[in-house]
């Protein structure tokens, strides 16, 4: 791993060069709310972003995407498959928890048979991570062994080390390739920066208010599948699906056709296991007809199923669902209750 320093004004110039050569997606504020968007002006980018409302997973797994178009002319069927654009994408400003979520998505979409659409985007994306500069009340990444300053999963990782300087860690050959023609933007003297990063980590970790433990939980969850706790918890759930839409690791989708029998498009869009239609069979039978069953499924997926199937945690402790659930269903409290029941 190679490390360098870049000053803030040089970082803005570097981003300008990225914008000229690549398609850049980065955190920007829209009406005060943070989203990852295509960027044309470096000054629009939040260099030390807080938590975005929607996670950056949308770059790899868009909320809605057309898979292919179809046209039927007499006996002839033509499929027009949509392919990833050729220009490389730089996804800038991804926090450590969201970096970890990409590993969760990789396990799902890149296992055989691979999802060609996800794989093409993954292959064409350079990930630039950024250390957190603050901790929000709902953050609990450390539960999953994630440090708020780590760059695991990124190609390049930035940490604001104060005095207008950023520590730049070049973590993969892809990251090295991206930066090699911009060497003049960097300084080599990183003395003190690693220490500043460690101090930042210690200060941020101390601010994480609620510590919960998940060790060994996934193996014990089966014993409380039928526990009345799920029905009780579901009495205040609205079934709105917000918790799943804002989650960086949720990956369920629906596939639909839009068009006529002569021509149209097949597309997919995010789905939610909280919705009644999610498991509704054509026959009318629904194996998860009650909201309690659907809410239980969500927590089992996060705390048990994902671990059993992919050997990765299904949650990264980003806190989005905690912050945005309209009835304050808090996964940290659920974990605490479940630990007492198993
Ligand atoms: S956000 Fe809250 S109310 Fe909405 S489905 Fe999720 S747990 Fe239920
Ligand atoms: S379950 Fe909640 S806290 Fe965990 S990754 Fe998803 S949105 Fe974040």
């Amino acid at each position: 791993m190679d490390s360098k320093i870049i000053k803030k004004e040089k970082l803005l110039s570097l981003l300008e060069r990225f914008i000229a050569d690549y398609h850049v997606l980065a955190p920007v504020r829209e009406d005060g709310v943070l989203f990852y968007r295509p960027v044309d002006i470096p000054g629009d980018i939040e260099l030390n972003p807080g938590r975005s409302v929607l996670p950056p997973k949308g770059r790899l797994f868009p909320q809605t995407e057309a898979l292919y178009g179809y046209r039927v002319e007499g006996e002839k069927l033509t499929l027009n498959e949509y392919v990833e654009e050729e220009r490389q994408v730089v996804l800038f400003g991804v926090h450590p928890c969201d970096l970890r979520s990409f590993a969760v998505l990789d396990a799902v979409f890149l296992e055989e048979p691979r999802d060609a659409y996800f794989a093409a985007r993954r292959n064409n994306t350079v990930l630039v991570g950024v250390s957190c500069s603050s901790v929000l009340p709902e953050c609990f990444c450390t539960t999953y062994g994630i440090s708020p300053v780590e760059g695991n999963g990124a190609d390049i990782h930035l940490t604001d080390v104060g005095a207008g300087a950023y520590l730049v860690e070049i973590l993969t050959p892809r990251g090295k390739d991206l930066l090699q023609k911009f060497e003049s933007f960097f300084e080599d003297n990183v003395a003190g920066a690693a220490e500043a990063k460690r101090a930042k980590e210690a200060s941020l970790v101390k601010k994480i208010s609620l510590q919960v433990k998940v060790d060994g939980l996934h193996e014990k969850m089966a014993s409380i599948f039928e526990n009345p706790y799920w029905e009780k918890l579901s009495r205040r759930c609205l079934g709105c699906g917000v918790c799943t839409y804002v989650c960086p690791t949720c990956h369920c989708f629906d596939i639909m056709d839009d068009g006529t029998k002569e021509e149209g498009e097949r597309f997919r869009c995010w789905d939610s296991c909280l919705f009644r239609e999610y498991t509704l069979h054509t026959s009318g039978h629904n194996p998860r007809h009650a909201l309690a069953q659907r809410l239980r499924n969500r927590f089992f997926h996060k705390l048990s199923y994902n671990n059993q199937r992919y050997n990765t945690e299904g949650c990264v402790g980003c806190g989005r669902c905690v912050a945005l659930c309209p009835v304050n269903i808090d996964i940290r409290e659920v974990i605490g209750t479940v630990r007492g029941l198993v």
Side-chain angles (χ1 to χ4, degrees):
M1 182 189 77
D2 199 6
S3 297
K4 297 189 181 296
I5 292 289
I6 191 166
K7 291 284 170 51
K8 184 177 172 185
E9 58 278 13
K10 290 278 188 185
L11 177 57
L12 289 169
S13 305
L14 180 66
L15 287 166
E16 193 163 17
R17 298 287 295 274
F18 283 172
I19 288 167
D21 292 354
Y22 306 98
H23 187 129
V24 175
L25 294 175
V28 296
R29 283 205 185 270
E30 281 179 10
D31 299 327
V33 183
L34 206 62
F35 292 97
Y36 286 82
R37 295 284 193 242
V39 179
D40 293 325
I41 303 167
D44 289 348
I45 298 174
E46 294 272 336
L47 297 180
N48 294 317
R51 183 175 58 218
S52 57
V53 175
L54 293 176
K57 76 172 177 187
R59 156 60 193 149
L60 304 178
F61 173 44
Q63 194 167 343
T64 305
E65 71 176 318
L67 302 175
Y68 53 83
Y70 63 87
R71 176 187 281 270
V72 181
E73 289 166 297
E75 295 290 302
K76 190 173 160 219
L77 168 66
T78 311
L79 294 181
N80 176 22
E81 200 154 347
Y82 300 129
V83 289
E84 168 68 0
E85 63 168 305
E86 279 177 20
R87 207 155 58 128
Q88 204 168 35
V89 172
V90 174
L91 178 53
F92 178 88
V94 181
H95 285 300
C97 58
D98 287 333
L99 288 171
R100 176 73 68 89
S101 79
F102 290 149
V104 180
L105 298 177
D106 284 352
V108 175
F109 287 104
L110 298 182
E111 74 168 356
E112 293 298 338
R114 296 177 128 209
D115 183 288
Y117 299 90
F118 180 97
R121 288 199 186 91
R122 190 74 166 104
N123 199 31
N124 201 23
T125 303
V126 187
L127 280 176
V128 182
V130 64
S131 292
C132 298
S133 282
S134 59
V135 161
L136 293 169
E138 305 86 9
C139 294
F140 65 112
C141 58
T142 47
T143 286
Y144 295 102
I146 301 167
S147 158
V149 301
E150 76 178 37
N152 289 346
D155 296 299
I156 300 160
H157 191 70
L158 301 181
T159 304
D160 184 345
V161 287
Y166 289 80
L167 175 66
V168 182
E169 292 163 282
I170 303 157
L171 301 169
T172 65
R174 179 180 288 199
K176 195 171 174 188
D177 284 353
L178 181 76
L179 295 185
Q180 67 180 358
K181 59 182 173 184
F182 302 114
E183 275 183 10
S184 62
F185 288 73
F186 299 97
E187 296 168 21
D188 286 325
N189 183 8
V190 296
E195 200 179 315
K197 185 181 167 186
R198 272 195 296 278
K200 184 171 198 160
E201 179 179 37
S203 152
L204 290 171
V205 167
K206 233 188 273 172
K207 289 181 186 144
I208 293 182
S209 57
L210 196 58
Q211 295 290 343
V212 286
K213 285 195 177 355
V214 288
D215 51 300
L217 195 60
H218 66 274
E219 292 156 1
K220 301 179 187 160
M221 291 279 290
S223 68
I224 56 157
F225 190 77
E226 299 291 354
N227 195 289
Y229 169 66
W230 303 111
E231 201 282 321
K232 190 172 162 222
L233 185 67
S234 74
R235 281 182 219 155
R236 62 180 155 125
C237 175
L238 306 174
C240 64
V242 164
C243 50
T244 51
Y245 282 135
V246 300
C247 179
T249 64
C250 275
H251 49 263
C252 289
F253 59 83
D254 196 7
I255 290 186
M256 296 193 187
D257 292 334
D258 182 28
T260 63
K261 64 180 178 169
E262 284 82 28
E263 67 178 329
E265 280 186 325
R266 172 157 288 192
F267 65 94
R268 70 174 168 189
C269 55
W270 294 353
D271 201 352
S272 170
C273 60
L274 270 307
F275 296 157
R276 191 180 154 274
E277 294 75 16
Y278 180 85
T279 45
L280 181 64
H281 296 183
T282 312
S283 66
H285 171 66
N286 193 338
R288 289 189 215 130
H289 60 88
L291 184 52
Q293 296 169 316
R294 302 197 285 276
L295 191 63
R296 176 181 63 188
N297 176 72
R298 172 166 183 266
F299 286 114
F300 265 74
H301 200 151
K302 296 292 162 205
L303 304 175
S304 178
Y305 300 152
N306 210 85
N307 214 310
Q308 286 170 9
R309 180 154 184 200
Y310 301 109
N311 203 22
T312 62
E313 301 285 356
C315 173
V316 294
C318 74
R320 287 184 177 92
C321 62
V322 181
L324 293 165
C325 173
V327 293
N328 296 333
I329 291 180
D330 183 331
I331 188 170
R332 299 167 304 174
E333 289 174 15
V334 172
I335 292 168
T337 304
V338 163
R339 283 193 81 84
L341 293 173
V342 294

